Amino acid sequence: MFNAFRTTLLLAALTALFMVVGYFIGGTSGMMLAFGFALITNFIGYWNSDKLVLRMQNAVPVERSRVPELYDMVDTLSRKAGIPTPAVYVINTDQPNAFATGRNPQNAAVAVSTGLLRHLDTREVAAVVAHELAHIRSRDTLTMTITATFAGAISALAQFGLFFGGGNNRDNPLGGMGALLMVFLAPVAAMVVQMAVSRTREYEADKDGAEISGDPLALASALEKIATLAGRHVNVAAERNPAMAHMYIINPLSGQRMDNLFSTHPDTGNRIMALRQLAGTMQVNDKGARLQPRRAPVTPGASRSGWRVPTVGRADEDGGQRGPWG
């Protein structure tokens, strides 16, 4: 019920923002046109925004036969999270990153980059997948996907109005200056909405994902690696559609040093600190094993965390097999 209310409130806020942009570009008539545009965007955002996001991020579906280890991992963690197994997509970029999308757990997808499978070890990949499944379970994916769709549409609306001379409309309260202001202020306003949606939800997804995987320190290690490597590898699809950056587990936009006030993601150091504190509460070590096990001993060959993790991504430094992409 709360998530439905939150999504409805978000749609109302973004629709109002749409109408404000339309008003300052084309006056009353511009506001009404923007309202109609917002209704269409609402409809598309609810039913098809996940497909649009996946397409715009160049995510492609992969068959189980191609990456059986990744499929088994997603399936096992989904059962632990109590949700249907989502579709699995891969983004062909060397930047390690991941995101989830979908309007509900029954229509969800997890997308991981080829760089994530190359640069992270098995436990870290599992922890990242669990984080994304936590977003799906809490239905954050609908809210975040709709926000991404609206943010892009708001920026496009402002630029469209200026390009076609919306500022010359006599009904426009600020004339050409109003249209010009909207070109700069509308994307900022959309980014503020993104920040409000994303920053608090990332902390919750970190906590819930760590509980799903039972390995908070693996997620802390993954976040540290991703944050370090994200700036070294360009995610072309994300750079072309920056309005969707907040959907990733770490900001995918390279070469940008935004301070905490304007960042769509919480500070990575703070997230890592929170995960380390959670590990102490859960009494697990840096191998994902319980410090004070109370149940029967684990059988030989089984995972200490209670489930078997298939080999995905870089193996240990003993020269073992790496992931399916290298």
Side-chain angles (χ1 to χ4, degrees), residues 221-270:
S221 176
L223 291 177
E224 187 173 17
K225 284 186 180 180
I226 296 172
T228 301
L229 295 172
R232 301 177 185 175
H233 303 282
V234 177
N235 185 332
V236 177
E239 296 288 347
R240 290 175 178 172
N241 302 282
M244 299 177 185
H246 69 289
M247 298 186 62
Y248 284 85
I249 190 171
I250 290 289
N251 181 13
L253 305 180
S254 61
Q256 297 199 8
R257 286 306 214 180
M258 297 182 293
D259 59 30
N260 289 336
L261 179 63
F262 293 104
S263 176
T264 57
H265 289 72
D267 179 73
T268 304
N270 291 339

Side-chain angles (χ1 to χ4, degrees), residues 77 81 83 97-100 110 123-138 140-141 144 198-215 219-220 222-223 226 246-250 265-266 271 275:
L77 287 170
I83 60 174
N97 228 318
F99 69 87
V110 171
R123 287 178 52 229
E124 292 165 342
V125 173
V128 170
V129 169
H131 170 99
E132 299 305 332
L133 294 177
H135 277 309
I136 293 173
R137 187 175 66 180
S138 62
D140 293 337
T141 49
M144 296 169 72
S198 177
R199 298 182 77 173
T200 56
R201 299 312 305 161
E202 289 303 317
Y203 282 116
E204 290 298 320
D206 285 345
K207 177 179 179 295
D208 294 344
E211 292 174 349
I212 292 171
S213 67
D215 202 352
L219 180 55
L223 291 177
I226 296 172
H246 69 289
M247 298 186 62
Y248 284 85
I249 190 171
I250 290 289
H265 289 72
R271 295 171 68 181
L275 286 167

Side-chain angles (χ1 to χ4, degrees), residues 18-36 166 169-174:
F18 239 86
M19 295 176 68
V20 169
V21 174
Y23 178 71
F24 280 100
I25 290 176
T28 304
S29 58
M31 181 175 66
M32 297 310 297
L33 287 173
F35 179 69
N169 192 317
R170 294 181 180 179
D171 196 22
N172 187 328
L174 298 179

Side-chain angles (χ1 to χ4, degrees), residues 57 133 192 213 300 305:
Q57 297 304 299
L133 294 177
V192 170
S213 67
S305 60

Side-chain angles (χ1 to χ4, degrees), residues 15-299:
T15 299
L17 180 57
F18 239 86
M19 295 176 68
V20 169
V21 174
Y23 178 71
F24 280 100
I25 290 176
T28 304
S29 58
M31 181 175 66
M32 297 310 297
L33 287 173
F35 179 69
F37 190 23
L39 291 179
I40 296 174
T41 305
N42 278 330
F43 179 82
I44 295 175
Y46 183 81
W47 292 104
N48 297 299
S49 57
D50 55 335
K51 299 179 181 65
L52 291 175
V53 168
L54 290 166
R55 187 178 302 116
M56 294 177 73
Q57 297 304 299
N58 293 335
V60 295
V62 290
E63 298 178 356
R64 189 185 198 101
S65 58
R66 184 181 176 189
V67 281
E69 299 91 349
L70 179 61
Y71 262 91
D72 290 344
M73 177 184 289
V74 174
D75 182 62
T76 300
L77 287 170
S78 297
R79 283 189 273 110
K80 292 192 69 174
I83 60 174
T85 303
V88 179
Y89 284 72
V90 168
I91 311 165
N92 188 22
T93 174
D94 203 43
Q95 180 189 87
N97 228 318
F99 69 87
T101 184
R103 64 181 181 271
N104 54 42
Q106 290 71 37
N107 298 274
V110 171
V112 301
S113 71
T114 54
L116 188 83
L117 302 178
R118 288 194 184 105
H119 297 296
L120 273 63
D121 64 29
T122 300
R123 287 178 52 229
E124 292 165 342
V125 173
V128 170
V129 169
H131 170 99
E132 299 305 332
L133 294 177
H135 277 309
I136 293 173
R137 187 175 66 180
S138 62
R139 298 177 186 264
D140 293 337
T141 49
L142 173 61
T143 306
M144 296 169 72
T145 304
I146 287 178
T147 304
T149 304
F150 260 98
I154 288 170
S155 299
L157 177 65
Q159 295 178 14
F160 181 83
L162 181 63
F163 181 78
F164 284 95
N168 295 326
N169 192 317
R170 294 181 180 179
D171 196 22
N172 187 328
L174 298 179
M177 182 61 69
L180 185 61
L181 283 174
M182 285 301 101
V183 171
F184 294 99
L185 296 182
V188 172
M191 185 177 67
V192 170
V193 175
Q194 287 176 290
M195 289 190 299
V197 170
S198 177
R199 298 182 77 173
T200 56
R201 299 312 305 161
E202 289 303 317
Y203 282 116
E204 290 298 320
D206 285 345
K207 177 179 179 295
D208 294 344
E211 292 174 349
I212 292 171
S213 67
D215 202 352
L217 293 180
L219 180 55
S221 176
L223 291 177
E224 187 173 17
K225 284 186 180 180
I226 296 172
T228 301
L229 295 172
R232 301 177 185 175
H233 303 282
V234 177
N235 185 332
V236 177
E239 296 288 347
R240 290 175 178 172
N241 302 282
M244 299 177 185
H246 69 289
M247 298 186 62
Y248 284 85
I249 190 171
I250 290 289
N251 181 13
L253 305 180
S254 61
Q256 297 199 8
R257 286 306 214 180
M258 297 182 293
D259 59 30
N260 289 336
L261 179 63
F262 293 104
S263 176
T264 57
H265 289 72
D267 179 73
T268 304
N270 291 339
R271 295 171 68 181
I272 291 173
M273 184 183 303
L275 286 167
R276 288 174 177 167
Q277 293 174 349
L278 179 62
T281 302
M282 294 173 61
Q283 296 185 330
V284 294
N285 62 17
D286 58 357
K287 302 298 182 183
R290 295 278 179 181
L291 295 177
Q292 298 177 356
R294 298 179 180 178
R295 298 184 180 276
V298 179
T299 57

